[in-house]
Amino acid sequence: MMATTQSRLATGKKVNSALDNPTNFFTSQSLNNRASDLSSLLDSMSNGMKTLEAADNGLTSMTNTLESMQSTLRQARQDKSFEKTSFTVDVGDTPAGTETLSLSDGAIGSTAVDIALTEATGTFTGSGFSALDFDSAADDSYAGTLDFDVSLDGATAQSVAITASDADTLSLTL
């Protein structure tokens, strides 16, 4: 009897084994397992809620940042204090084909950016035409080919040739 009392005091349970009371022992074991399962589910639900709260906080922060950017853009659009300048560059009637505009410092940085002016506006080569008029002599000779290179965003340049073979036919070669 003393051993039973000591066992009950040590475990806090009236029934500690199936020998004490099989029905109550297995009912207790089943209820303890169910309580453990429900506790695990509650923990999982709590973790899921915390994840959703973190996602909501992130989305709210992103929304606030976008609204701030939108407000800044609206202010910039309404601000008339910025300076704007237009420049005209005249390369002359007969450009050498090496004319460049060099930009550096400021927002560009210390490494200069060169812009080829004659390539950007086009250099027409050949004879017997001007400004894409393949029959400039008006004698139906249709002499000449317009050759130029096209490069997008610094990619490898692609050669293009336009040739007039008669009054109705232009050939494009890439």
Side-chain angles (χ1 to χ4, degrees):
M1 182 74 153
M2 182 62 120
T4 304
T5 303
Q6 285 179 338
S7 176
R8 286 180 181 174
L9 286 173
T11 62
K13 296 180 182 179
K14 184 176 180 181
V15 178
N16 288 308
S17 71
L19 296 175
D20 294 338
N21 185 336
T23 305
N24 289 348
F25 175 77
F26 288 112
T27 301
S28 172
Q29 189 115 14
S30 174
L31 291 173
N32 280 337
N33 290 341
R34 177 79 173 143
S36 176
D37 291 345
L38 290 174
S39 178
S40 294
L41 286 173
L42 184 60
D43 288 345
S44 295
M45 289 172 55
S46 177
N47 287 341
M49 288 175 54
K50 293 294 182 191
T51 301
L52 289 174
E53 286 175 7
D56 181 53
N57 289 340
L59 289 172
T60 300
S61 175
M62 288 171 56
T63 301
N64 291 340
T65 302
L66 287 172
E67 287 173 351
S68 174
M69 290 170 64
Q70 188 178 30
S71 173
T72 303
L73 285 172
R74 282 190 186 123
Q75 285 178 334
R77 259 201 251 154
Q78 294 172 356
D79 185 8
K80 303 297 182 194
S81 66
F82 67 93
E83 292 184 32
K84 60 181 180 179
T85 305
S86 297
F87 296 98
T88 302
V89 178
D90 185 3
V91 295
D93 292 336
T94 57
T98 58
E99 292 78 10
T100 60
L101 175 64
S102 184
L103 305 172
S104 62
D105 296 327
I108 294 172
S110 60
T111 304
V113 175
D114 293 331
I115 301 169
L117 297 176
T118 52
E119 288 180 20
T121 59
T123 301
F124 303 116
T125 59
S127 61
F129 63 91
S130 64
L132 295 178
D133 182 359
F134 287 92
D135 187 27
S136 62
D139 62 359
D140 294 331
S141 62
Y142 301 102
T145 298
L146 174 64
D147 294 312
F148 57 94
D149 292 334
V150 176
S151 176
L152 296 176
D153 293 331
T156 303
Q158 301 294 320
S159 296
V160 179
I162 301 174
T163 306
S165 55
D166 59 45
D168 298 319
T169 307
L170 281 178
S171 301
L172 178 66
T173 307
L174 299 176

Short mmCIF file of all heavy atoms in Angstrom, two decimals, residues 68-121:
data_model
loop_
_atom_site.label_atom_id
_atom_site.label_comp_id
_atom_site.label_asym_id
_atom_site.label_seq_id
_atom_site.Cartn_x
_atom_site.Cartn_y
_atom_site.Cartn_z
N SER A 68 4.67 55.96 -51.08
CA SER A 68 5.66 57.01 -50.88
C SER A 68 6.34 57.37 -52.20
O SER A 68 6.55 58.54 -52.51
CB SER A 68 6.69 56.55 -49.85
OG SER A 68 7.74 57.47 -49.74
N MET A 69 6.69 56.33 -52.99
CA MET A 69 7.31 56.57 -54.30
C MET A 69 6.35 57.32 -55.21
O MET A 69 6.76 58.24 -55.94
CB MET A 69 7.72 55.24 -54.93
CG MET A 69 8.88 54.57 -54.23
SD MET A 69 9.18 52.89 -54.79
CE MET A 69 9.64 53.16 -56.49
N GLN A 70 5.08 56.94 -55.16
CA GLN A 70 4.07 57.59 -55.99
C GLN A 70 3.95 59.07 -55.61
O GLN A 70 3.87 59.94 -56.47
CB GLN A 70 2.73 56.88 -55.83
CG GLN A 70 1.65 57.34 -56.77
CD GLN A 70 0.37 56.55 -56.59
OE1 GLN A 70 0.07 56.08 -55.49
NE2 GLN A 70 -0.38 56.41 -57.65
N SER A 71 3.96 59.34 -54.31
CA SER A 71 3.88 60.72 -53.84
C SER A 71 5.10 61.52 -54.30
O SER A 71 4.97 62.67 -54.74
CB SER A 71 3.78 60.73 -52.31
OG SER A 71 3.87 62.04 -51.81
N THR A 72 6.29 60.91 -54.21
CA THR A 72 7.51 61.58 -54.65
C THR A 72 7.46 61.88 -56.14
O THR A 72 7.85 62.96 -56.59
CB THR A 72 8.74 60.72 -54.31
OG1 THR A 72 8.76 60.46 -52.91
CG2 THR A 72 10.02 61.41 -54.72
N LEU A 73 6.96 60.92 -56.93
CA LEU A 73 6.84 61.14 -58.38
C LEU A 73 5.86 62.26 -58.68
O LEU A 73 6.09 63.07 -59.59
CB LEU A 73 6.42 59.85 -59.07
CG LEU A 73 7.51 58.79 -59.20
CD1 LEU A 73 6.93 57.49 -59.71
CD2 LEU A 73 8.61 59.28 -60.12
N ARG A 74 4.75 62.31 -57.95
CA ARG A 74 3.78 63.39 -58.17
C ARG A 74 4.41 64.74 -57.87
O ARG A 74 4.21 65.71 -58.62
CB ARG A 74 2.55 63.18 -57.29
CG ARG A 74 1.62 62.14 -57.82
CD ARG A 74 0.30 62.14 -57.04
NE ARG A 74 -0.52 61.02 -57.47
CZ ARG A 74 -0.99 60.08 -56.68
NH1 ARG A 74 -0.76 60.11 -55.39
NH2 ARG A 74 -1.72 59.11 -57.16
N GLN A 75 5.18 64.81 -56.77
CA GLN A 75 5.85 66.06 -56.44
C GLN A 75 6.86 66.43 -57.51
O GLN A 75 6.97 67.60 -57.89
CB GLN A 75 6.56 65.94 -55.09
CG GLN A 75 5.62 65.98 -53.91
CD GLN A 75 6.37 65.80 -52.60
OE1 GLN A 75 7.43 65.20 -52.56
NE2 GLN A 75 5.79 66.30 -51.53
N ALA A 76 7.60 65.45 -58.00
CA ALA A 76 8.61 65.73 -59.03
C ALA A 76 7.95 66.24 -60.31
O ALA A 76 8.49 67.11 -60.98
CB ALA A 76 9.43 64.48 -59.30
N ARG A 77 6.79 65.68 -60.64
CA ARG A 77 6.09 66.12 -61.84
C ARG A 77 5.62 67.56 -61.73
O ARG A 77 5.59 68.30 -62.70
CB ARG A 77 4.88 65.23 -62.10
CG ARG A 77 5.12 64.20 -63.15
CD ARG A 77 3.81 63.71 -63.71
NE ARG A 77 3.60 62.36 -63.26
CZ ARG A 77 2.43 61.78 -63.12
NH1 ARG A 77 1.34 62.45 -63.37
NH2 ARG A 77 2.31 60.56 -62.73
N GLN A 78 5.26 67.96 -60.51
CA GLN A 78 4.73 69.31 -60.30
C GLN A 78 5.84 70.33 -60.08
O GLN A 78 5.62 71.52 -60.18
CB GLN A 78 3.78 69.31 -59.11
CG GLN A 78 2.53 68.50 -59.36
CD GLN A 78 1.68 68.35 -58.11
OE1 GLN A 78 2.05 68.77 -57.04
NE2 GLN A 78 0.52 67.72 -58.26
N ASP A 79 7.06 69.85 -59.78
CA ASP A 79 8.19 70.75 -59.50
C ASP A 79 8.70 71.35 -60.80
O ASP A 79 9.20 70.66 -61.68
CB ASP A 79 9.30 69.95 -58.81
CG ASP A 79 10.45 70.85 -58.39
OD1 ASP A 79 10.31 72.08 -58.50
OD2 ASP A 79 11.47 70.30 -57.95
N LYS A 80 8.59 72.66 -60.93
CA LYS A 80 9.02 73.35 -62.14
C LYS A 80 10.40 73.98 -61.97
O LYS A 80 10.86 74.72 -62.82
CB LYS A 80 8.01 74.44 -62.53
CG LYS A 80 6.60 73.92 -62.74
CD LYS A 80 6.52 72.95 -63.88
CE LYS A 80 5.09 72.49 -64.07
NZ LYS A 80 4.94 71.35 -64.89
N SER A 81 11.06 73.67 -60.85
CA SER A 81 12.34 74.33 -60.58
C SER A 81 13.53 73.65 -61.24
O SER A 81 14.62 74.19 -61.21
CB SER A 81 12.58 74.37 -59.06
OG SER A 81 12.76 73.07 -58.56
N PHE A 82 13.34 72.46 -61.81
CA PHE A 82 14.48 71.79 -62.43
C PHE A 82 14.88 72.52 -63.71
O PHE A 82 14.08 73.18 -64.34
CB PHE A 82 14.17 70.32 -62.71
CG PHE A 82 13.11 70.10 -63.75
CD1 PHE A 82 13.45 69.92 -65.09
CD2 PHE A 82 11.78 70.09 -63.42
CE1 PHE A 82 12.48 69.73 -66.05
CE2 PHE A 82 10.80 69.90 -64.37
CZ PHE A 82 11.15 69.73 -65.68
N GLU A 83 16.15 72.37 -64.04
CA GLU A 83 16.66 73.01 -65.23
C GLU A 83 16.65 72.04 -66.39
O GLU A 83 16.95 70.87 -66.23
CB GLU A 83 18.10 73.48 -65.00
CG GLU A 83 18.20 74.61 -64.01
CD GLU A 83 19.62 75.11 -63.87
OE1 GLU A 83 20.37 75.06 -64.87
OE2 GLU A 83 19.97 75.53 -62.77
N LYS A 84 16.31 72.53 -67.53
CA LYS A 84 16.38 71.70 -68.73
C LYS A 84 17.06 72.51 -69.81
O LYS A 84 16.87 73.72 -69.91
CB LYS A 84 15.00 71.22 -69.18
CG LYS A 84 14.02 72.31 -69.51
CD LYS A 84 12.70 71.73 -69.90
CE LYS A 84 11.72 72.84 -70.23
NZ LYS A 84 10.45 72.36 -70.64
N THR A 85 17.87 71.84 -70.57
CA THR A 85 18.64 72.51 -71.61
C THR A 85 18.62 71.64 -72.86
O THR A 85 18.72 70.42 -72.77
CB THR A 85 20.09 72.71 -71.16
OG1 THR A 85 20.09 73.42 -69.92
CG2 THR A 85 20.88 73.51 -72.18
N SER A 86 18.47 72.26 -73.97
CA SER A 86 18.55 71.56 -75.25
C SER A 86 19.81 72.02 -75.96
O SER A 86 20.18 73.20 -75.90
CB SER A 86 17.33 71.87 -76.12
OG SER A 86 16.17 71.40 -75.51
N PHE A 87 20.46 71.09 -76.61
CA PHE A 87 21.67 71.40 -77.36
C PHE A 87 21.49 70.96 -78.80
O PHE A 87 20.87 69.94 -79.07
CB PHE A 87 22.89 70.67 -76.78
CG PHE A 87 23.23 71.09 -75.38
CD1 PHE A 87 22.80 70.35 -74.30
CD2 PHE A 87 23.96 72.24 -75.15
CE1 PHE A 87 23.11 70.74 -73.01
CE2 PHE A 87 24.27 72.64 -73.87
CZ PHE A 87 23.84 71.89 -72.79
N THR A 88 22.03 71.72 -79.69
CA THR A 88 22.04 71.35 -81.10
C THR A 88 23.50 71.19 -81.51
O THR A 88 24.33 72.05 -81.22
CB THR A 88 21.38 72.44 -81.95
OG1 THR A 88 20.05 72.63 -81.49
CG2 THR A 88 21.36 72.04 -83.40
N VAL A 89 23.78 70.07 -82.15
CA VAL A 89 25.14 69.82 -82.62
C VAL A 89 25.09 69.76 -84.14
O VAL A 89 24.34 68.98 -84.71
CB VAL A 89 25.69 68.50 -82.04
CG1 VAL A 89 27.08 68.23 -82.56
CG2 VAL A 89 25.66 68.54 -80.53
N ASP A 90 25.89 70.59 -84.78
CA ASP A 90 25.94 70.62 -86.24
C ASP A 90 27.25 69.97 -86.68
O ASP A 90 28.33 70.44 -86.33
CB ASP A 90 25.89 72.07 -86.72
CG ASP A 90 25.82 72.16 -88.24
OD1 ASP A 90 25.78 71.11 -88.91
OD2 ASP A 90 25.81 73.30 -88.75
N VAL A 91 27.14 68.84 -87.37
CA VAL A 91 28.34 68.14 -87.85
C VAL A 91 28.76 68.61 -89.23
O VAL A 91 29.72 68.10 -89.79
CB VAL A 91 28.14 66.61 -87.83
CG1 VAL A 91 27.96 66.11 -86.43
CG2 VAL A 91 26.99 66.20 -88.71
N GLY A 92 28.06 69.57 -89.78
CA GLY A 92 28.43 70.12 -91.08
C GLY A 92 27.81 69.34 -92.23
O GLY A 92 27.14 68.35 -92.06
N ASP A 93 28.05 69.84 -93.44
CA ASP A 93 27.49 69.21 -94.63
C ASP A 93 28.22 67.94 -95.02
O ASP A 93 27.63 67.04 -95.63
CB ASP A 93 27.54 70.20 -95.82
CG ASP A 93 26.58 71.37 -95.59
OD1 ASP A 93 25.61 71.19 -94.82
OD2 ASP A 93 26.82 72.44 -96.17
N THR A 94 29.48 67.84 -94.72
CA THR A 94 30.27 66.66 -95.09
C THR A 94 30.98 66.11 -93.85
O THR A 94 32.18 66.35 -93.65
CB THR A 94 31.31 67.00 -96.17
OG1 THR A 94 32.13 68.07 -95.68
CG2 THR A 94 30.65 67.40 -97.47
N PRO A 95 30.26 65.39 -93.01
CA PRO A 95 30.90 64.86 -91.79
C PRO A 95 31.96 63.82 -92.15
O PRO A 95 31.84 63.10 -93.12
CB PRO A 95 29.75 64.24 -91.02
CG PRO A 95 28.70 63.97 -92.03
CD PRO A 95 28.86 65.00 -93.11
N ALA A 96 32.99 63.78 -91.33
CA ALA A 96 34.09 62.84 -91.54
C ALA A 96 33.72 61.43 -91.10
O ALA A 96 34.40 60.47 -91.44
CB ALA A 96 35.34 63.31 -90.79
N GLY A 97 32.65 61.30 -90.32
CA GLY A 97 32.23 59.98 -89.84
C GLY A 97 32.83 59.62 -88.49
O GLY A 97 32.58 58.57 -87.97
N THR A 98 33.63 60.54 -87.93
CA THR A 98 34.26 60.27 -86.64
C THR A 98 33.80 61.26 -85.58
O THR A 98 34.37 61.31 -84.49
CB THR A 98 35.79 60.34 -86.77
OG1 THR A 98 36.15 61.63 -87.26
CG2 THR A 98 36.31 59.25 -87.68
N GLU A 99 32.78 62.05 -85.85
CA GLU A 99 32.31 63.06 -84.90
C GLU A 99 31.63 62.38 -83.71
O GLU A 99 30.78 61.51 -83.88
CB GLU A 99 31.32 64.03 -85.56
CG GLU A 99 31.92 64.92 -86.61
CD GLU A 99 32.14 64.23 -87.95
OE1 GLU A 99 31.66 63.10 -88.14
OE2 GLU A 99 32.79 64.81 -88.80
N THR A 100 32.06 62.78 -82.49
CA THR A 100 31.48 62.20 -81.28
C THR A 100 31.15 63.29 -80.28
O THR A 100 31.75 64.36 -80.29
CB THR A 100 32.44 61.20 -80.59
OG1 THR A 100 33.62 61.88 -80.23
CG2 THR A 100 32.75 60.02 -81.49
N LEU A 101 30.20 62.99 -79.44
CA LEU A 101 29.86 63.85 -78.31
C LEU A 101 30.27 63.06 -77.08
O LEU A 101 29.82 61.92 -76.89
CB LEU A 101 28.35 64.14 -78.31
CG LEU A 101 27.81 64.93 -77.12
CD1 LEU A 101 28.42 66.33 -77.10
CD2 LEU A 101 26.30 65.01 -77.19
N SER A 102 31.12 63.64 -76.23
CA SER A 102 31.65 62.94 -75.06
C SER A 102 31.01 63.53 -73.80
O SER A 102 31.06 64.74 -73.59
CB SER A 102 33.17 63.08 -75.01
OG SER A 102 33.68 62.34 -73.94
N LEU A 103 30.39 62.66 -72.98
CA LEU A 103 29.75 63.09 -71.74
C LEU A 103 30.46 62.42 -70.58
O LEU A 103 30.76 61.22 -70.62
CB LEU A 103 28.28 62.69 -71.74
CG LEU A 103 27.43 63.18 -72.92
CD1 LEU A 103 26.05 62.55 -72.88
CD2 LEU A 103 27.33 64.68 -72.91
N SER A 104 30.72 63.18 -69.50
CA SER A 104 31.35 62.60 -68.32
C SER A 104 30.97 63.41 -67.09
O SER A 104 30.40 64.50 -67.20
CB SER A 104 32.87 62.55 -68.48
OG SER A 104 33.38 63.86 -68.60
N ASP A 105 31.32 62.87 -65.92
CA ASP A 105 31.07 63.47 -64.62
C ASP A 105 29.57 63.52 -64.31
O ASP A 105 28.75 63.01 -65.07
CB ASP A 105 31.72 64.86 -64.51
CG ASP A 105 33.24 64.78 -64.62
OD1 ASP A 105 33.80 63.77 -64.16
OD2 ASP A 105 33.84 65.72 -65.16
N GLY A 106 29.23 64.13 -63.20
CA GLY A 106 27.83 64.20 -62.78
C GLY A 106 27.25 62.82 -62.58
O GLY A 106 27.88 61.93 -62.03
N ALA A 107 26.03 62.62 -63.05
CA ALA A 107 25.36 61.34 -62.90
C ALA A 107 25.98 60.26 -63.77
O ALA A 107 25.81 59.08 -63.52
CB ALA A 107 23.87 61.49 -63.24
N ILE A 108 26.75 60.65 -64.79
CA ILE A 108 27.37 59.68 -65.70
C ILE A 108 28.56 59.01 -65.04
O ILE A 108 28.80 57.82 -65.21
CB ILE A 108 27.78 60.37 -67.02
CG1 ILE A 108 26.52 60.82 -67.74
CG2 ILE A 108 28.61 59.45 -67.88
CD1 ILE A 108 26.77 61.66 -68.96
N GLY A 109 29.34 59.75 -64.26
CA GLY A 109 30.51 59.19 -63.61
C GLY A 109 31.78 59.66 -64.27
O GLY A 109 31.77 60.45 -65.22
N SER A 110 32.92 59.16 -63.77
CA SER A 110 34.21 59.64 -64.27
C SER A 110 34.59 59.03 -65.62
O SER A 110 35.39 59.59 -66.34
CB SER A 110 35.30 59.34 -63.24
OG SER A 110 35.38 57.95 -63.02
N THR A 111 34.02 57.88 -65.96
CA THR A 111 34.30 57.27 -67.26
C THR A 111 33.40 57.91 -68.31
O THR A 111 32.19 57.86 -68.21
CB THR A 111 34.07 55.75 -67.22
OG1 THR A 111 34.86 55.20 -66.19
CG2 THR A 111 34.41 55.11 -68.55
N ALA A 112 34.02 58.51 -69.32
CA ALA A 112 33.27 59.24 -70.34
C ALA A 112 32.44 58.28 -71.20
O ALA A 112 32.85 57.15 -71.47
CB ALA A 112 34.22 60.03 -71.23
N VAL A 113 31.29 58.75 -71.62
CA VAL A 113 30.44 58.02 -72.56
C VAL A 113 30.48 58.79 -73.87
O VAL A 113 30.14 59.97 -73.91
CB VAL A 113 28.99 57.93 -72.03
CG1 VAL A 113 28.09 57.29 -73.07
CG2 VAL A 113 28.95 57.18 -70.72
N ASP A 114 30.94 58.13 -74.92
CA ASP A 114 31.04 58.77 -76.22
C ASP A 114 29.85 58.36 -77.08
O ASP A 114 29.50 57.19 -77.16
CB ASP A 114 32.34 58.37 -76.93
CG ASP A 114 33.56 58.93 -76.21
OD1 ASP A 114 33.42 59.99 -75.58
OD2 ASP A 114 34.63 58.29 -76.29
N ILE A 115 29.23 59.34 -77.71
CA ILE A 115 28.11 59.09 -78.60
C ILE A 115 28.55 59.49 -80.01
O ILE A 115 28.92 60.64 -80.25
CB ILE A 115 26.87 59.92 -78.19
CG1 ILE A 115 26.47 59.56 -76.76
CG2 ILE A 115 25.73 59.70 -79.16
CD1 ILE A 115 25.44 60.48 -76.17
N ALA A 116 28.55 58.50 -80.90
CA ALA A 116 28.96 58.77 -82.28
C ALA A 116 27.83 59.50 -82.97
O ALA A 116 26.75 58.96 -83.19
CB ALA A 116 29.28 57.46 -83.00
N LEU A 117 28.06 60.75 -83.29
CA LEU A 117 27.00 61.59 -83.86
C LEU A 117 26.64 61.18 -85.28
O LEU A 117 25.49 61.20 -85.67
CB LEU A 117 27.42 63.06 -83.82
CG LEU A 117 27.63 63.63 -82.42
CD1 LEU A 117 28.14 65.07 -82.52
CD2 LEU A 117 26.34 63.58 -81.63
N THR A 118 27.62 60.85 -86.09
CA THR A 118 27.31 60.53 -87.48
C THR A 118 26.68 59.16 -87.60
O THR A 118 25.89 58.92 -88.50
CB THR A 118 28.58 60.62 -88.34
OG1 THR A 118 29.60 59.83 -87.75
CG2 THR A 118 29.05 62.05 -88.48
N GLU A 119 27.00 58.23 -86.69
CA GLU A 119 26.35 56.92 -86.74
C GLU A 119 24.93 57.00 -86.21
O GLU A 119 24.04 56.34 -86.69
CB GLU A 119 27.16 55.90 -85.94
CG GLU A 119 28.45 55.51 -86.62
CD GLU A 119 29.22 54.50 -85.80
OE1 GLU A 119 28.62 53.84 -84.93
OE2 GLU A 119 30.42 54.38 -86.04
N ALA A 120 24.73 57.85 -85.21
CA ALA A 120 23.41 57.96 -84.62
C ALA A 120 22.43 58.60 -85.60
O ALA A 120 21.27 58.26 -85.63
CB ALA A 120 23.47 58.78 -83.33
N THR A 121 22.92 59.54 -86.42
CA THR A 121 22.02 60.20 -87.37
C THR A 121 22.06 59.52 -88.73
O THR A 121 21.22 59.78 -89.56
CB THR A 121 22.41 61.68 -87.54
OG1 THR A 121 23.75 61.75 -88.00
CG2 THR A 121 22.27 62.42 -86.24
#
